Structure formats: structure tokens, C-alpha cells
């Protein structure tokens, strides 16, 4: 038997620990000390008391697991039947070692004692277990006094490294402790590996150890207790990745990630940024060291001796984690009141339910809004989240894998909806990265993007309004107004990836654009670069994003900025635009050549009533009550005390709405002919005015004498509340253009074709006929034929929409078709730098049907006669 005493600045406790080891009734006990680079004289004290041959001095602190692993390399340790691993602040009962050895029989690999505090009264440890997601559980209550209530030996999942007896066969087979983990967090992984290697882990309460817990109590210099969550998270995640079988990991890890993301979101919403940072830091640490984890996993599973269920039988049920999470969420959302002379039950009983609910909503508007938003999302998009496949509207057919997304970007053959026919957009890069997070399935990403667009857009608007008003309730009103605006619901309904990305990114960009005009931003280069990155990503998805940014910048320069800040603000804004262009290079060259407007493809009617409702077309929430947002914006402007911000919003919205109508009517040049760009600008600025109006009242306006201000505030409240309720009702109906079984009858024309053939399919539709049915997706452009314009689209070998050609009404019109194809083959229309050929042809007039088989054959024959 060899006791391994790991020491780190433990001079205050060493003499007691060594004296307790000397008093042990077990006579075959040797002691080896590992000095973990102590600086308080512990090394000298150990050499004086034990002799230099029994002390291993390390030049740097490698932690408890690392020190134990170093001791296990010594020949004497490898020859000992048992190793007793000890912290330097432990004191053993005289018969503790003898009882631990007695319990280590019958296939037992690890034995742990009952651990009491230094006062020898409070129970600290009696063994632990975890749930399926690595979170540890103990049967002890906080501050529980030892009265013999846990004095029955039991098998546990793991015991603490405070005092742990390890059999030689067990650690030789399972391997030493993982030196990458912290002292108080490596015991789970080590004992789990011992169990996998075929040994039992037991806790024998007849063996008693007293532990000062100097590090947790802050008595040990350099101890860090402020990163407990970080170390627990990374040790749990590392242990799961190493020890679970692959089949178990396939269902445990997605559920773990869902819980983790929800936890991080909750921390962020409740401003517990340090906790969120620790969780994300633990994930980053795990990813960075993933190769080493894989190597250790391979070694462990090569010696696996038990089935998975034999290990998981000692774990806590999954329901325990759910109950614990519910308690944590309740503690965050329902914070404890201050000290009171009344008992908590009496205090709550004296407060009416209406006041309790109102007080809770007032204290926590953002978490409540998030909960309602998540519930609405699940209900409203039930037909989207469970669609297989997701089709209809203008949603593109997503590639089968993330690899295909990156390949499309590299070779320039970009599917429609991801950048059009004029070269691959850099937007494919973030789409590919996001596809990796959805287990490499871009089609799963399609469900998430569509369903979460209103929620993410609303959150972005909430954050922008919160920066401006400082009032969470007012910011929630602004975010909800934007999320349920007609244009956001329309983009989600149609499944337009570019427009959805634009509407999510726009509030973040516009929320910052006024900063350099109002106050110093520092460092300016970092501010400009951060804004440019988001602008470049947003512009890659939606090239016309430059228009609202330019309008907002000019309006801020003229209307709202401080006079002494205008020159420097303009310089920073210009630098931001230049950086964004550089980041998106060479895509900006393509945009400069072909323009960014796609109003002809969108089929947006130039009806000013629809434009005023911010409605580009038929979709849930495009009806008359959508006027709540323009009306609410005007009322918010009337209440605003931040006059500069209010004037900026009003002027921007007043410019955006007419520009949207002009773009839809075709009166603007191609580079500016994008109605959605202006509708998005109007939706955000009007939502911001709603937030400014509510924020002005929250800042003291409600305490003024009753008059016109209170009347306007009442009108604003009624209009916004009623509008949000009606818009939410429309969304809950779930009548989205995308979903399942949305494909047009024209689809069999393509579906019947051999997907592995060398042909692409030409889709035809007349101008103004709306979107092409899936898999046509949105049309990519217009070709001028002899008597009318022609919209075009081509579907590639994998079924993805690559390009679109439309036909004027009135029949097949083969002469116009032939001229259009001759134009394409002559090189006037190029895709990815190469001509499109050969073609199979399908005729579709705005989804009214397909061309008869004999007509299709005739068109195929004509194609054979065309040059090239």
C-alpha cells in the first residue's frame, strides 16, 4: 500500500496530515509526497519529515490529476497493490486505511470514505452520481450534520479524489487520471473509466476522513473558486465524450447542446454574462482539445469490459435534471425578495395575485417575452418544423450536405436563392458553417432558419432598442412589433433565405450606425471592423442591404448627429462601408456589374396600400391590422423625448416607404430596385419609434399631469397591443407558403427525370406571375424576348434550382423561347463563368401546369439545332 499525498502550498496542514498517516492501524503503508511547485516552504517541510527519496518535486503546478499521473510512473507505485490518493489538507481516522483496504475486494477498483469537515460534524461527501448529461448529484443536503444516517456501504458512480483508494489492476487497465482536468473535477472521469474497465466503485462510510477544503474556503493562496461552472462544464463534457458508447453519444449530445444553448440564452437575458462566458469557454476548451480526447477514448474502449447499461444503472434519472433545471430557471426568473420580517409564505400571501404577476412582468419583461416567443414559434411553425421535405414558396432546395454548400461556393455553381446566377455569394460560407452545427444537414438548417426568423429578428430589434432607451419593457415592445411586422412574416412565409438574413441583421447594423455621430466610439477601428463584418455577411445574403444603411447614414448625418461629431462620424461610417466591401470581395465586383435589384423576380405589386402595411405580398399578417406598426410609429414619435433619435426614425421611414413603392413599380435603377430593402428599413425604424415612445413614458412621462400625453400613450398602448395580438393570431394559423406538400403539379416534369443525368431543366414563367414553384425557387433574372420579357430558371443535375427563363402569356411561343436560348448560348448570360448547356425543357406558366409530352419533345429537338 502506497499513500500518494499531493501537496500545493499546504504547509499549514501538512503536519496534521502526516501525523494521521503515521497513526494508521494498517501497518503495510508507505508514503510518497508530490510537491506541486509549492512556494510556502511545503517542499522543504516534506523533505525534512519524509526524506528526499520520498518526495517528488515538480517545477510547475500540474494539478492533482497531473501529480497523481506523475506518481504512477514511479516503479514503487506500479508495484503497490493499492494507491491511496490524498489531498494535503486531509486527516485520516486511525483505522481509515484498514477499512478502505478491507472494502477493496470482490472486483472493487476504487473505494471512497465518508468525508467530514474539519470540525468533524458536517458531511461533505458520501459518493456521487451524475445524470445522462454529466451533471453531478449528491444525496447530501447543504450543511447536513452527520448522525449516522448514511452509514451503509453502497456502490456509487464515483467518489471524490479527496481520499480515494485505487487498486493496481484498476488503474493499470483504465489509465491514470486525465491531467488536463482540475483537481476537484477529474474524479468523475477517472472513476467512470474504472467502471468501464470492469471494476466496481464503492463508498465505505466506516472509513472516515476529515477534510479542510482549503481551496473552496479561500484559505489556500491562488485558489480560484470563481470559475467553478467553467471547470464543471468542461469536465462533464470531456467525460461524456470519452466514456459513452457512440450510440449513446448520438442522442445524448444533441440534447446536451439544446440544454446548453438554452442555458446560455437564459444567462444572457438575465445579464449573467460571466456564467454564459464560462459555459462557452468550457465548450471552446473541449473543442480545442478534442483530438486528445479522441485518443484517450480509443485507448479506453479498447479495454472496455462492461456494457453501457451496467454503468448507466448507477446514474440519476433524466427527470432529476429537468427538475433541477426548473429550479434554476425559477430562481432566475423569480428572484428572492429582500430581507423581510415576515416568512416568505406570509409575505407572498399578503400580496394580491394581480400585483405579483404585474411585478414579475415588470421585473422580467425580456425572459417573459422570450418564453412567449418560443411558444408562439413552436405553434405557428408546426407545419414547418415537422415538414419533410420543406418546400413551397420561394425556398431553395438545400444541398444534401455541408460539403456540397462549400463546394458550390468554390466552383461558382450556386443554387437559386443563395446568390443567383451571377456567381457564388460569400453567404454560402456562413451557411456551410451553420450546416455543420446541424450535424452536417443543411435541410435541417432550412427548418431552423424559417421558424426562427421572426424570433431572431425581434431579438435583434430588442437589443437595438434597449441600447437606445435603456428600458427593457419598451425594448420588448419594439422587438415584438418588428418580429410581427408584415415584411418579416412574409419573408419567413416565402422561405426567402436572403431576405430573412437581411431582416435579422438590419437592426444590429442600424442600431450602431448612429453611435459615431453621437459619441466617441473606441477604439474606432475595432468598432468599424465589427460593424463591417456584420454588414458584409448581411450584404452577402442580401446585396441591396447597402441601400438602407446608406439612407440611415445620410439621415443621421443631416438630421440627428451632433454637429461636432459629424465629420468624424462620417469618416468612421465610410471606413465601415469600405471594410465591408473588402471583406465581401470579389462578390462586390459581380454586384457592380449586374446590379442588386430583383423587383421583377419578386413579383411585388406596386400598391401603395400594401406598401404602407409593409406587406410585399400575400402572407400571414399582411392584412389591414398590419397598419398597427406605421400608426404606432407615428404615435411613438409624438411621445418621444429623445427628439434627435425620433426625427431620424421618422425621416428614414418617410423616405423608405415611397422608395419601396417606386422600386416595386420599376421606376428605380437596377442597383436600387429592391423593395424589401426599403420595407425592412421602414419596419425597423417604425418599431424603434414604438420603443422610443414607450421608453419616454417609462422615463417619467406617466407621472405628469393628465393631458394629451396620456391620451396619446393610451392610444399607442391599444394600437400596439391590439396589433401584436392580431398579428400573432395570424401567425398561429400556420398558413405559410412553405411547408410540406406544397409542390406544384409541374414538379413531376423534373422528378421523373434521371437525377444523375447530364441535363439541366429549364423552367419557364411569365413576368409578373409570382414565384416559381419548388424546385424552381425564385427566378434569377429576365431575358428580353421579341414581344415580351421572359423570366428564366434552370434546375441542375442534383435537383437544385440554378437559373430561371420566363415565357409571355398566350401559348408556347417557340420563337421567343428560341431567341432566349440563343441569347443564353451565345454567351450573353453566363453562370459561374461557363455557358449553360445542355438543357432538358419543362414549360410552366406561373404554376398553371406543364407542357404536354409532345411539345416537350419538340422543344428538345429544337435545342439540338441551336448552336453550341
Amino acid at each position: 500500500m502506497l499513500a500518494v499525498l499531493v501537496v500545493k502550498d499546504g504547509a499549514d496542514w501538512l503536519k496534521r496530515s502526516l501525523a494521521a498517516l503515521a497513526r494508521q492501524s494498517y501497518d503495510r503503508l508507505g508514503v510518497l509526497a508530490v510537491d506541486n511547485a509549492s512556494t510556502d516552504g511545503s517542499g522543504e517541510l516534506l523533505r525534512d519529515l519524509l526524506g528526499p527519496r520520498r518526495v517528488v518535486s515538480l517545477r510547475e503546478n500540474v494539478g492533482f490529476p497531473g501529480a497523481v499521473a506523475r506518481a504512477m510512473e514511479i516503479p514503487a507505485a506500479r508495484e503497490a497493490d493499492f494507491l491511496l490518493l490524498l489531498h494535503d489538507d486531509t486527516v485520516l481516522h486511525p483505522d481509515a486505511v484498514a477499512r478502505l483496504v478491507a472494502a477493496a475486494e470482490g472486483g472493487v477498483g476504487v473505494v471512497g470514505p465518508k468525508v467530514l469537515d474539519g470540525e468533524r460534524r458536517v458531511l461533505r461527501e458520501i459518493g456521487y452520481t451524475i445524470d445522462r448529461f454529466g451533471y453531478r448529484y449528491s444525496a447530501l443536503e447543504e450543511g447536513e450534520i452527520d448522525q449516522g444516517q448514511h452509514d451503509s456501504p453502497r456502490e456509487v458512480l464515483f467518489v471524490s479524489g479527496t481520499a480515494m483508494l485505487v487498486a493496481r489492476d484498476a488503474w493499470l487497465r483504465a489509465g491514470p487520471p486525465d491531467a488536463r482536468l482540475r483537481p476537484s473535477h477529474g474524479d468523475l472521469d477517472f472513476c467512470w473509466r474504472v467502471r468501464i474497465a470492469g471494476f466496481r466503485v464503492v463508498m465505505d462510510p466506516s472509513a472516515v476522513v476529515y477534510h479542510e477544503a482549503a481551496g473552496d474556503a479561500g484559505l489556500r493562496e491562488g485558489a480560484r473558486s470563481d470559475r467553478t461552472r467553467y471547470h464543471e462544464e468542461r469536465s462533464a463534457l470531456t467525460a461524456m465524450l470519452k466514456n459513452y458508447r457512440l450510440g449513446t453519444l448520438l442522442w445524448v449530445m444533441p440534447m446536451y447542446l439544446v440544454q446548453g444553448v438554452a442555458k446560455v440564452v437564459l444567462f444572457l437575458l438575465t445579464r449573467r454574462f460571466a456564467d454564459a462566458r464560462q459555459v462557452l469557454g468550457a465548450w471552446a476548451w473541449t473543442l480545442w482539445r478534442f483530438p486528445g480526447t479522441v485518443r484517450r477514448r480509443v485507448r479506453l474502449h479498447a479495454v472496455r469490459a462492461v456494457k453501457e447499461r451496467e454503468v448507466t444503472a448507477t446514474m440519476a434519472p433524466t427527470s432529476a435534471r429537468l427538475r433541477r433545471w426548473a429550479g434554476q430557471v425559477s430562481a432566475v426568473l423569480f428572484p428572492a425578495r429582500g430581507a423581510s420580517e415576515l416568512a416568505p409564505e406570509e409575505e407572498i400571501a399578503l400580496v394580491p395575485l394581480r400585483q405579483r404577476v404585474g411585478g414579475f412582468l415588470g421585473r422580467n419583461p425580456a425572459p417573459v417575452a422570450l418564453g412567449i416567443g418560443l411558444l408562439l414559434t413552436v405553434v405557428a411553425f408546426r407545419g414547418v418544423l415537422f415538414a419533410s421535405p420543406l418546400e413551397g414558396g420561394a425556398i431553395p432546395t438545400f444541398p444534401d450536405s455541408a460539403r456540397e454548400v462549400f463546394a458550390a461556393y468554390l466552383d461558382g455553381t450556386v443554387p437559386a436563392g443563395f446568390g443567383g446566377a451571377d456567381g457564388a455569394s460569400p453567404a454560402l460560407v456562413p451557411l456551410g458553417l451553420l450546416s455543420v452545427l446541424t450535424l452536417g444537414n443543411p435541410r435541417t438548417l432550412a427548418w431552423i432558419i424559417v421558424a426562427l426568423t421572426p424570433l431572431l429578428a425581434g431579438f435583434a430589434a430588442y437589443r437595438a432598442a434597449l441600447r437606445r432607451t435603456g428600458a427593457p419593457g419598451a425594448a420588448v415592445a419594439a422587438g415584438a412589433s418588428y418580429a410581427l411586422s408584415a415584411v418579416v412574416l412574409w419573408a419567413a412565409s416565402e422561405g426567402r433565405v436572403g431576405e430573412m438574413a437581411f431582416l435579422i441583421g438590419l437592426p444590429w447594423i442600424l442600431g450602431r450606425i448612429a453611435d459615431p455621430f453621437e459619441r466617441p466610439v473606441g477604439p474606432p477601428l475595432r468598432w468599424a471592423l465589427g460593424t463591417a463584418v456584420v454588414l458584409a455577411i448581411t450584404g452577402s445574403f442580401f446585396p441591396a442591404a447597402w441601400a438602407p444603411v446608406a439612407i440611415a447614414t445620410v439621415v443621421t448625418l443631416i438630421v440627428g448627429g451632433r454637429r461636432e461629431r459629424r465629420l468624424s462620424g462620417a469618416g468612421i461610417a465610410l471606413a465601415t462601408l469600405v471594410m465591408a466591401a473588402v471583406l465581401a470581395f470579389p462578390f462586390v465586383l459581380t454586384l457592380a456589374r449586374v446590379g442588386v435589384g430583383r423587383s421583377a423576380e419578386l413579383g411585388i405589386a406596386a400598391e401603395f396600400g400594401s406598401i404602407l402595411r409593409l406587406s410585399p405580398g400575400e402572407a400571414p399578417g399582411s392584412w389591414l391590422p398590419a397598419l398597427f406598426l406605421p400608426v404606432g410609429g407615428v404615435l411613438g414619435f409624438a411621445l418621444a423625448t429623445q427628439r434627435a433619435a425620433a426625427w431620424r426614425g421618422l425621416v428614414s421611414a418617410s423616405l423608405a416607404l415611397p422608395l419601396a413603392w417606386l422600386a416595386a413599380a420599376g421606376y428605380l435603377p437596377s442597383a436600387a430596385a429592391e423593395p424589401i430593402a426599403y420595407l425592412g428599413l421602414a419596419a425597423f425604424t417604425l418599431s424603434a419609434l414604438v420603443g422610443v415612445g414607450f421608453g419616454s413614458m417609462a422615463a417619467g412621462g406617466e407621472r405628469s399631469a393628465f393631458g394629451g400625453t396620456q391620451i396619446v400613450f393610451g392610444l399607442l398602448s391599444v394600437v400596439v397591443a391590439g396589433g401584436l395580438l392580431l398579428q400573432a393570431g395570424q401567425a398561429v394559423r400556420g398558413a405559410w407558403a412553405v411547408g410540406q406538400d406544397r409542390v406544384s403539379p409541374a414538379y413531376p416534369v423534373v422528378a421523373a427525370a434521371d437525377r444523375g443525368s447530364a441535363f439541366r431543366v429549364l423552367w419557364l414563367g411569365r413576368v409578373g406571375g409570382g414565384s416559381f414553384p419548388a424546385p424552381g425557387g425564385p427566378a434569377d433574372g429576365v431575358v428580353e424576348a421579341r414581344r415580351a420579357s421572359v423570366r428564366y430558371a434552370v434546375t441542375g443535375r442534383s435537383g437544385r434550382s440554378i437559373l430561371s427563363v420566363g415565357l409571355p402569356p398566350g401559348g408556347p411561343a417557340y420563337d421567343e423561347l428560341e431567341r432566349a436560348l440563343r441569347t443564353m448560348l451565345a454567351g450573353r448570360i453566363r453562370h459561374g463563368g461557363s455557358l449553360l448547356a445542355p438543357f432538358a425543357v419543362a414549360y410552366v406558366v406561373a404554376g398553371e401546369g406543364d407542357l404536354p409530352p409532345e411539345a416537350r419533345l419538340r422543344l428538345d429537338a429544337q435545342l439540338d439545332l441551336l448552336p453550341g
Side-chain angles (χ1 to χ4, degrees), residues 18-43:
L18 291 173
L21 283 170
R23 290 194 298 267
Q24 291 299 304
S25 59
Y26 191 82
D27 53 1
R28 298 177 56 195
L29 176 64
V31 178
L32 174 69
V34 181
D35 179 23
N36 234 339
S38 297
T39 58
D40 67 342
S42 296

Side-chain angles (χ1 to χ4, degrees), residues 470-497:
V476 165
S481 299
Y482 184 69
L484 294 174
S485 63
V487 65
V488 172
L489 295 180
W490 172 85
S493 176
E494 291 289 312
R496 296 183 180 273
V497 176

Side-chain angles (χ1 to χ4, degrees), residues 274-434:
D275 288 332
R277 188 164 52 248
Q278 289 187 45
V279 173
L280 295 176
W283 294 354
W285 182 93
T286 306
L287 287 174
W288 182 256
R289 289 163 176 80
F290 185 70
T293 301
V294 172
R295 289 194 297 270
R296 290 169 172 83
R297 173 184 173 84
V298 171
R299 180 195 179 282
L300 171 65
H301 287 271
V303 299
R304 189 179 189 104
V306 298
K307 296 181 179 179
E308 188 87 290
R309 62 174 177 269
E310 296 182 33
V311 179
T312 57
T314 58
M315 293 183 177
T318 304
S319 58
R321 175 63 183 158
L322 298 178
R323 290 194 299 270
R324 180 177 176 180
W325 236 89
Q328 291 175 343
V329 172
S330 298
V332 172
L333 297 183
F334 297 90
R337 296 174 183 266
S340 172
E341 296 179 359
L342 297 174
E345 297 81 3
E346 296 173 328
E347 185 176 8
I348 293 174
L350 294 176
V351 180
L353 176 62
R354 177 177 57 83
Q355 294 184 20
R356 275 189 282 152
V357 172
F360 168 69
L361 294 177
R363 292 191 304 270
N364 306 280
V368 171
L370 176 63
I372 295 174
L374 288 171
L375 180 62
L376 282 176
T377 297
V378 172
V379 175
F381 288 95
R382 59 193 180 277
V384 171
L385 293 170
F386 304 104
S388 180
L390 185 60
E391 54 198 11
I395 192 165
T397 302
F398 277 65
D400 294 326
S401 67
R403 180 177 176 274
E404 290 188 28
V405 179
F406 290 116
Y409 174 68
L410 294 175
D411 64 21
T413 55
V414 53
F418 297 104
D422 298 293
S425 165
L428 290 173
V429 176
L431 277 175
L433 295 175
L434 290 174

